[in-house]
Amino acid sequence: MAQSGIHAFSSIILSKSLKYEKWLVPSLIFGSILPDIDILFAAIGFILGLNIYDAEAIFHRTFTHNIFFPIIIYLIFLSVAEITSNKKFRTIGKGISFGI
């Protein structure tokens, strides 16, 4: 989680080289920080009584740190964009997926 600032900064630099769309930059930044949310699940596991090493082994760097996570996120946003006929969700899904 300490690298979240570096992840966000690298997204800002990357977003300057991409074609600008209204929701792309914020979703790139959010997507670059999103995989580190699993450390919160490890903290909750520790609060609920797991050993810190067990909680980290169970939750940290598991489901949010694999290749399927950005694909699933993009497919969810793509489905919402098709259902609502709103291109904004497609741009947000693309940004989050590239950020991850």
Side-chain angles (χ1 to χ4, degrees):
M1 192 105 170
Q3 296 91 4
S4 294
I6 294 172
H7 290 178
F9 181 71
S10 63
S11 294
I12 292 170
I13 298 299
L14 178 66
S15 68
K16 293 189 186 281
S17 66
L18 297 174
K19 180 182 172 190
Y20 181 75
E21 296 178 35
K22 184 176 181 182
W23 292 94
L24 187 63
V25 174
S27 60
L28 268 171
I29 295 169
F30 180 72
S32 68
I33 298 170
L34 186 64
D36 291 330
I37 201 163
D38 59 359
I39 195 70
L40 295 176
F41 298 126
I44 291 170
F46 176 69
I47 290 171
L48 293 177
L50 287 174
N51 184 344
I52 188 67
Y53 300 110
D54 293 337
E56 186 173 337
I58 292 170
F59 296 110
H60 189 57
R61 294 189 179 161
T62 54
F63 64 93
T64 59
H65 286 83
N66 62 34
I67 190 67
F68 299 111
F69 185 63
I71 294 169
I72 291 169
I73 294 291
Y74 182 69
L75 290 176
I76 289 170
F77 276 96
L78 189 63
S79 299
V80 171
E82 288 297 319
I83 291 169
T84 61
S85 299
N86 194 342
K87 290 183 179 181
K88 173 177 73 172
F89 292 111
R90 182 178 295 169
T91 303
I92 292 171
K94 182 172 51 174
I96 291 174
S97 297
F98 283 146
I100 293 172

